[in-house]
Amino acid sequence: MPVRPRRPHIAAACLTTTLALALTACGSSDGGGTASGAAPGPSALAAAEGAVTVTLWHGLGGPAGEAFQKEIDAFNKANSGKIVVKASFQGSYADAVAKYTSAVRNGGTPSVMVTNDITTGYLRDAGQTVSAQAMAAANPKDLDLDKLRPAARSYYTADGKLLAVPLNTSMPLLYVNDKLLAKAGVDRSTLGTLSGVAAAARRIHSAVPSVKGIDQPFDDWWFEQLTAAAGEPYCTPDNGRKGDGATAASLTGAAQRTAIGTMAKLYTDGVALDTGTDGNAALSAFAAGKTAMMFNSSGAIGGLAEAGMKGYTALPYPLSSSSAGAAIGGAAMWVDQAGHSAAEQVASWKLISYLASAPAQERFAEASGYAPINTDVDDSATWKAFLAKNKPYAVLAKQFADTPATTATSGCLSGAMPGVRDVVVPQMQQAFSGKVPLDSALKAAEKAATEKIQDYRKQAGQ
């Protein structure tokens, strides 16, 4: 799995407006209308004449995309004559959702849409899909939702209803250079908390001045991670998980401010290395020994292997609160209903159930580096053997399994999230560089992010 890529910030604000405006066209005569929410059952597929075609759009590239296509091919072979899945790569997640937005307005949405975490609010608001909760209830012999990991289910749930089925899940981890930690005499038992990591970073830089204590990407995901790990919501009310979503951003809570402030001071004090927004740049600096510790996605496991780095250890993401946890990343699978036959919807659900099954998730996880979302994988002898030989993946698997399903770890549910992320990062960069006081930056970011949310709601008629 590739390191989290740098997001195209120049398009984020425009995309948020486009998403909101697209919602007003969902019921137009040119598009596919809106979903009824009622899920069809097995009889719809049984009554179909000939093979049912399922179209799928996704944004998975590289090893993950190759592994995904192999699973699609296997499903097609097993369902020959009954279901034909035509999967197509749409470029980045931003590219994929932009094309989907156009299809919502003009018709022609795919049977299954695989899109990333922060578009959850928009996919819900668009009214084109039937919930995973409803599909599972209508097709009880397929996917058992109780087999999905709580943290993953929580992220894609609103008002107690699972909207989509997670496919690929990444999480943040702490990576440490074993030799540099030993040279500085760092006690690893202190690295389970953010304050402990900060103290270790200072100790390392003091002992080895030519090496910075830590680095992390300035990708917007990381400020959300610091918030979740502090046990606080990123938006209100309830991280947008109730009613019709978030109405405001929340970036100035006490625990949140402390967590972000802890990291910011490492940068302003010259203890941390600023590598910009690109996760690959942070990885390169860590692999080159310029930093002793790194916060990065679980995708960095594969990146470090490609860089040929040895002598490092992956550790769980540190928490600022005992009841907190990290937030997931990745993407989920949605069943489109508007404009699609009942037989097509059931066939789509059959595909999703297969892709979320333990065997498929195990194969996909080993090939891509994502964490398997089906808990039955934990009982697999081959998966246990894989984890025994791949310690970083074992750390990822345990953290995913141990992460609580709370309001904080579920992330902010809002169709405005692309725009929210776009305005938060510049403010944080100003604070981490010391150009603007942290409290001023947080207030400015909260104000700008709230305006994005309110503008989205207004344009979407909410």
PDB file of all heavy atoms in Angstrom, residues 12 57-58 81 99 101 125 127 143 147 167 228 251 265 358 392 440:
ATOM      1  N   ALA A  12      -9.749  21.191  -3.695  1.00  0.00           N
ATOM      2  CA  ALA A  12     -10.622  20.791  -2.592  1.00  0.00           C
ATOM      3  C   ALA A  12     -11.783  21.749  -2.372  1.00  0.00           C
ATOM      4  O   ALA A  12     -12.927  21.328  -2.208  1.00  0.00           O
ATOM      5  CB  ALA A  12      -9.808  20.647  -1.306  1.00  0.00           C
ATOM      6  N   TRP A  57     -16.652   1.573  -9.829  1.00  0.00           N
ATOM      7  CA  TRP A  57     -15.625   2.607  -9.969  1.00  0.00           C
ATOM      8  C   TRP A  57     -14.799   2.639  -8.692  1.00  0.00           C
ATOM      9  O   TRP A  57     -15.330   2.518  -7.578  1.00  0.00           O
ATOM     10  CB  TRP A  57     -16.257   3.980 -10.157  1.00  0.00           C
ATOM     11  CG  TRP A  57     -16.967   4.154 -11.470  1.00  0.00           C
ATOM     12  CD1 TRP A  57     -17.036   3.274 -12.512  1.00  0.00           C
ATOM     13  CD2 TRP A  57     -17.722   5.305 -11.873  1.00  0.00           C
ATOM     14  NE1 TRP A  57     -17.784   3.789 -13.533  1.00  0.00           N
ATOM     15  CE2 TRP A  57     -18.217   5.031 -13.173  1.00  0.00           C
ATOM     16  CE3 TRP A  57     -18.032   6.528 -11.274  1.00  0.00           C
ATOM     17  CZ2 TRP A  57     -19.005   5.955 -13.875  1.00  0.00           C
ATOM     18  CZ3 TRP A  57     -18.815   7.438 -11.969  1.00  0.00           C
ATOM     19  CH2 TRP A  57     -19.290   7.154 -13.261  1.00  0.00           C
ATOM     20  N   HIS A  58     -13.493   2.823  -8.848  1.00  0.00           N
ATOM     21  CA  HIS A  58     -12.625   2.885  -7.669  1.00  0.00           C
ATOM     22  C   HIS A  58     -11.399   3.753  -7.936  1.00  0.00           C
ATOM     23  O   HIS A  58     -11.124   4.118  -9.084  1.00  0.00           O
ATOM     24  CB  HIS A  58     -12.194   1.472  -7.251  1.00  0.00           C
ATOM     25  CG  HIS A  58     -11.245   0.810  -8.209  1.00  0.00           C
ATOM     26  ND1 HIS A  58      -9.877   0.920  -8.118  1.00  0.00           N
ATOM     27  CD2 HIS A  58     -11.473   0.012  -9.291  1.00  0.00           C
ATOM     28  CE1 HIS A  58      -9.298   0.232  -9.081  1.00  0.00           C
ATOM     29  NE2 HIS A  58     -10.244  -0.337  -9.820  1.00  0.00           N
ATOM     30  N   GLY A  81     -21.770 -16.637 -15.709  1.00  0.00           N
ATOM     31  CA  GLY A  81     -23.129 -16.858 -16.202  1.00  0.00           C
ATOM     32  C   GLY A  81     -24.207 -16.224 -15.356  1.00  0.00           C
ATOM     33  O   GLY A  81     -25.376 -16.178 -15.756  1.00  0.00           O
ATOM     34  N   LYS A  99     -16.090  12.461 -10.942  1.00  0.00           N
ATOM     35  CA  LYS A  99     -16.822  11.791 -12.015  1.00  0.00           C
ATOM     36  C   LYS A  99     -18.176  11.306 -11.507  1.00  0.00           C
ATOM     37  O   LYS A  99     -19.189  11.386 -12.207  1.00  0.00           O
ATOM     38  CB  LYS A  99     -16.009  10.623 -12.567  1.00  0.00           C
ATOM     39  CG  LYS A  99     -16.688   9.920 -13.737  1.00  0.00           C
ATOM     40  CD  LYS A  99     -15.814   8.852 -14.371  1.00  0.00           C
ATOM     41  CE  LYS A  99     -16.547   8.184 -15.535  1.00  0.00           C
ATOM     42  NZ  LYS A  99     -15.719   7.147 -16.192  1.00  0.00           N
ATOM     43  N   THR A 101     -19.911  12.650  -9.127  1.00  0.00           N
ATOM     44  CA  THR A 101     -20.758  13.827  -8.965  1.00  0.00           C
ATOM     45  C   THR A 101     -21.405  14.212 -10.288  1.00  0.00           C
ATOM     46  O   THR A 101     -22.591  14.555 -10.347  1.00  0.00           O
ATOM     47  CB  THR A 101     -19.926  15.003  -8.418  1.00  0.00           C
ATOM     48  OG1 THR A 101     -19.405  14.648  -7.141  1.00  0.00           O
ATOM     49  CG2 THR A 101     -20.767  16.262  -8.281  1.00  0.00           C
ATOM     50  N   ASP A 125     -25.532  12.214   1.673  1.00  0.00           N
ATOM     51  CA  ASP A 125     -26.407  13.321   1.314  1.00  0.00           C
ATOM     52  C   ASP A 125     -26.925  13.213  -0.123  1.00  0.00           C
ATOM     53  O   ASP A 125     -28.011  13.703  -0.428  1.00  0.00           O
ATOM     54  CB  ASP A 125     -25.666  14.649   1.481  1.00  0.00           C
ATOM     55  CG  ASP A 125     -25.294  14.945   2.929  1.00  0.00           C
ATOM     56  OD1 ASP A 125     -25.884  14.310   3.836  1.00  0.00           O
ATOM     57  OD2 ASP A 125     -24.406  15.788   3.143  1.00  0.00           O
ATOM     58  N   GLY A 127     -28.116  10.793  -1.719  1.00  0.00           N
ATOM     59  CA  GLY A 127     -29.371  10.059  -1.817  1.00  0.00           C
ATOM     60  C   GLY A 127     -29.447   9.086  -2.978  1.00  0.00           C
ATOM     61  O   GLY A 127     -30.546   8.757  -3.437  1.00  0.00           O
ATOM     62  N   LEU A 143     -23.265 -11.162   3.720  1.00  0.00           N
ATOM     63  CA  LEU A 143     -22.325 -10.616   4.697  1.00  0.00           C
ATOM     64  C   LEU A 143     -22.951 -10.429   6.082  1.00  0.00           C
ATOM     65  O   LEU A 143     -24.018  -9.831   6.218  1.00  0.00           O
ATOM     66  CB  LEU A 143     -21.793  -9.274   4.202  1.00  0.00           C
ATOM     67  CG  LEU A 143     -20.786  -8.546   5.091  1.00  0.00           C
ATOM     68  CD1 LEU A 143     -19.513  -9.366   5.267  1.00  0.00           C
ATOM     69  CD2 LEU A 143     -20.464  -7.173   4.502  1.00  0.00           C
ATOM     70  N   LYS A 147     -19.301  -9.172  11.727  1.00  0.00           N
ATOM     71  CA  LYS A 147     -17.929  -9.614  11.491  1.00  0.00           C
ATOM     72  C   LYS A 147     -17.003  -8.444  11.139  1.00  0.00           C
ATOM     73  O   LYS A 147     -15.788  -8.610  11.076  1.00  0.00           O
ATOM     74  CB  LYS A 147     -17.891 -10.643  10.355  1.00  0.00           C
ATOM     75  CG  LYS A 147     -18.657 -11.936  10.644  1.00  0.00           C
ATOM     76  CD  LYS A 147     -18.027 -12.729  11.774  1.00  0.00           C
ATOM     77  CE  LYS A 147     -18.742 -14.058  11.977  1.00  0.00           C
ATOM     78  NZ  LYS A 147     -18.140 -14.842  13.090  1.00  0.00           N
ATOM     79  N   LEU A 167     -13.680  -1.354   2.748  1.00  0.00           N
ATOM     80  CA  LEU A 167     -12.908  -2.275   1.923  1.00  0.00           C
ATOM     81  C   LEU A 167     -11.453  -2.304   2.351  1.00  0.00           C
ATOM     82  O   LEU A 167     -10.905  -3.345   2.688  1.00  0.00           O
ATOM     83  CB  LEU A 167     -12.992  -1.860   0.447  1.00  0.00           C
ATOM     84  CG  LEU A 167     -11.992  -2.537  -0.490  1.00  0.00           C
ATOM     85  CD1 LEU A 167     -12.319  -4.023  -0.634  1.00  0.00           C
ATOM     86  CD2 LEU A 167     -11.962  -1.851  -1.853  1.00  0.00           C
ATOM     87  N   ALA A 228      -8.594  12.810  17.459  1.00  0.00           N
ATOM     88  CA  ALA A 228      -9.194  11.531  17.855  1.00  0.00           C
ATOM     89  C   ALA A 228      -8.426  10.898  19.004  1.00  0.00           C
ATOM     90  O   ALA A 228      -9.013  10.346  19.946  1.00  0.00           O
ATOM     91  CB  ALA A 228      -9.224  10.573  16.658  1.00  0.00           C
ATOM     92  N   LEU A 251     -12.162  22.790  16.792  1.00  0.00           N
ATOM     93  CA  LEU A 251     -10.696  22.681  16.765  1.00  0.00           C
ATOM     94  C   LEU A 251     -10.015  23.327  17.961  1.00  0.00           C
ATOM     95  O   LEU A 251      -8.789  23.410  18.003  1.00  0.00           O
ATOM     96  CB  LEU A 251     -10.160  23.328  15.479  1.00  0.00           C
ATOM     97  CG  LEU A 251     -10.702  22.754  14.162  1.00  0.00           C
ATOM     98  CD1 LEU A 251     -10.201  23.575  12.987  1.00  0.00           C
ATOM     99  CD2 LEU A 251     -10.289  21.315  14.010  1.00  0.00           C
ATOM    100  N   LYS A 265       5.031  22.521  19.344  1.00  0.00           N
ATOM    101  CA  LYS A 265       6.200  23.027  20.065  1.00  0.00           C
ATOM    102  C   LYS A 265       7.473  22.279  19.666  1.00  0.00           C
ATOM    103  O   LYS A 265       8.563  22.840  19.683  1.00  0.00           O
ATOM    104  CB  LYS A 265       5.980  22.925  21.575  1.00  0.00           C
ATOM    105  CG  LYS A 265       6.946  23.827  22.373  1.00  0.00           C
ATOM    106  CD  LYS A 265       6.475  24.037  23.781  1.00  0.00           C
ATOM    107  CE  LYS A 265       7.244  25.133  24.503  1.00  0.00           C
ATOM    108  NZ  LYS A 265       8.664  25.235  24.179  1.00  0.00           N
ATOM    109  N   ALA A 358     -13.671 -12.976   4.916  1.00  0.00           N
ATOM    110  CA  ALA A 358     -12.364 -13.204   5.536  1.00  0.00           C
ATOM    111  C   ALA A 358     -11.303 -13.665   4.538  1.00  0.00           C
ATOM    112  O   ALA A 358     -10.184 -13.120   4.534  1.00  0.00           O
ATOM    113  CB  ALA A 358     -12.504 -14.197   6.690  1.00  0.00           C
ATOM    114  N   PRO A 392       5.615  -5.451  11.766  1.00  0.00           N
ATOM    115  CA  PRO A 392       4.869  -4.192  11.649  1.00  0.00           C
ATOM    116  C   PRO A 392       3.388  -4.405  11.354  1.00  0.00           C
ATOM    117  O   PRO A 392       2.527  -3.682  11.862  1.00  0.00           O
ATOM    118  CB  PRO A 392       5.574  -3.477  10.489  1.00  0.00           C
ATOM    119  CG  PRO A 392       6.966  -4.023  10.512  1.00  0.00           C
ATOM    120  CD  PRO A 392       6.798  -5.462  10.879  1.00  0.00           C
ATOM    121  N   SER A 440      -4.258  31.343  17.978  1.00  0.00           N
ATOM    122  CA  SER A 440      -4.794  32.170  16.887  1.00  0.00           C
ATOM    123  C   SER A 440      -5.041  31.313  15.653  1.00  0.00           C
ATOM    124  O   SER A 440      -6.058  31.458  14.968  1.00  0.00           O
ATOM    125  CB  SER A 440      -3.822  33.304  16.552  1.00  0.00           C
ATOM    126  OG  SER A 440      -3.655  34.170  17.652  1.00  0.00           O
TER     127      SER A 440
END
